[in-house]
Amino acid sequence: HNLFCDRCLKRFQGAAHGELTKMVCKSILALAAAVTSSSPFAYGFNIVLAGGTGNIGASLSAALANDGHDVTILCRNAFLAAAPGRASSDFGWLGQGFLEKHPGIKLRDWDGGDLLDIVGQDFLGWQEDTLTEADAVVNLVGGFTQQREMAAERIVRESLRVNPLALQITVGPKDDELEMISPGAYTTKVARLKQCEDLVSFNCANFECLRLEANRVEEECERIKELIYDQLKK
C-alpha cells in the first residue's frame, strides 16, 4: 500500500497543498529506494572476528560495519581493547573512539584456546554468545607460537558444536614473507600455519584459507570482505 496515496492525502486542505505534499513524499520514497539499492544485501550478516584487534581486524571490522553488518571481535581483554588510550602493548587495542565511530562493532572476551592464559573477566559463554548466530567466523589470530594452533582448534571445535554451517575463514601470511614478518624458526612456523589451515579444511564443510600479502592491509581487507560476501550469497 502506498502510504502517500490520494486517500491518505485527503486530510490536507486544498488540492495544491495535497499535490505538493504528494510530490515531496514521492521524492523521499525515491531517495530511500536509491539508498537501499546501493547496499549489497537486504539485511546484515553476523560476522565474528577472532583476534581482530590488530591492523587487519580494525580495517576489516570497520568496512563490514560500514556496510551494515554486525561484527563481534573476540579478544583476550575487551576492557583494555576498548579503553580510551592503549594501556599495554601486550594486548590488542581498538580504542573508545573507534568503537563509538562504529557502533556495529562489539568486543567479547574469549579464552583464545588457552585456559591457562585467560586475562578477560567475562570469557565464559563466548561460544553461545557469538558463534551460534554467526554467518561467518574469520580467524585473524596472530603470532606464530603454539597459541595460534590452540586458538584455531578452539574456534573450529566450538563452531562445529554450536554452528557447524558457519563459513570459516582462516588467514595467514604467505610463506615467502614469513621470515620478514617474524624472523627465526621458519620451518616450524610454516608447519604451524599449515596445521591451522588443516584444522579448518579437514573438519569444516564451508571454509576458505587465505594467505595475505604483507603491507597491503586495505587491499587484503577488501579481499576478505568480498570473499565473505561471495560465499554468503551462495
Side-chain angles (χ1 to χ4, degrees):
H1 174 66
N2 186 348
L3 294 178
F4 305 105
C5 63
D6 292 333
R7 187 179 64 181
C8 297
L9 292 173
K10 286 182 179 179
R11 70 186 66 180
F12 294 103
Q13 297 296 323
H17 188 184
E19 287 301 317
L20 177 60
T21 303
K22 190 173 183 179
M23 291 174 59
V24 171
C25 292
K26 285 184 176 180
S27 297
I28 294 174
L29 286 174
L31 178 60
V35 171
T36 302
S37 64
S38 66
S39 176
F41 302 100
Y43 63 93
F45 293 126
N46 290 314
I47 301 173
V48 175
L49 306 183
T53 54
N55 291 335
I56 293 177
S59 180
L60 178 59
S61 62
L64 292 169
N66 288 341
D67 281 352
H69 306 296
D70 293 324
V71 181
T72 301
I73 295 177
L74 300 177
C75 53
R76 290 194 300 155
N77 193 305
F79 177 79
L80 293 178
R86 188 161 197 168
S88 171
S89 59
D90 293 333
F91 302 101
W93 179 74
L94 293 172
Q96 180 180 343
F98 176 86
L99 295 172
E100 289 176 349
K101 183 178 179 180
H102 304 288
I105 300 173
K106 63 181 180 180
L107 305 180
R108 181 65 165 88
D109 286 329
W110 77 312
D111 54 50
D114 188 354
L115 296 177
L116 299 179
D117 187 32
I118 297 172
V119 293
Q121 296 182 356
D122 188 27
F123 71 94
L124 293 176
W126 67 266
Q127 307 95 319
E128 288 76 14
D129 290 348
T130 62
L131 299 180
T132 302
E133 300 297 327
D135 295 297
V137 181
V138 184
N139 183 0
L140 298 173
V141 174
F144 302 97
T145 65
Q146 189 179 12
Q147 174 69 29
R148 189 186 190 102
E149 292 181 51
M150 296 170 69
E153 190 274 337
R154 186 77 161 144
I155 293 168
V156 170
R157 184 177 72 242
E158 296 301 325
S159 293
L160 291 176
R161 182 175 67 85
V162 300
N163 187 1
L165 297 182
L167 171 65
Q168 298 286 332
I169 299 177
T170 185
V171 175
K174 294 186 174 182
D175 286 350
D176 58 2
E177 295 183 341
L178 185 55
E179 188 66 26
M180 175 184 68
I181 298 170
S182 177
Y186 174 79
T187 302
T188 300
K189 292 173 181 176
V190 169
R192 189 157 281 148
L193 289 173
K194 180 64 165 55
Q195 176 65 22
C196 292
E197 292 175 340
D198 288 346
L199 281 168
V200 173
S201 61
F202 292 167
N203 294 285
C204 301
N206 189 14
F207 72 91
E208 293 288 341
C209 298
L210 291 181
R211 294 297 185 98
L212 308 184
E213 291 187 35
N215 302 319
R216 293 176 60 87
V217 173
E218 295 299 326
E219 294 88 344
E220 294 293 29
C221 285
E222 185 66 21
R223 181 182 165 207
I224 298 172
K225 188 182 79 166
E226 292 305 318
L227 174 63
I228 293 172
Y229 293 171
D230 289 343
Q231 292 297 317
L232 294 183
K233 284 190 296 185
K234 291 181 179 179

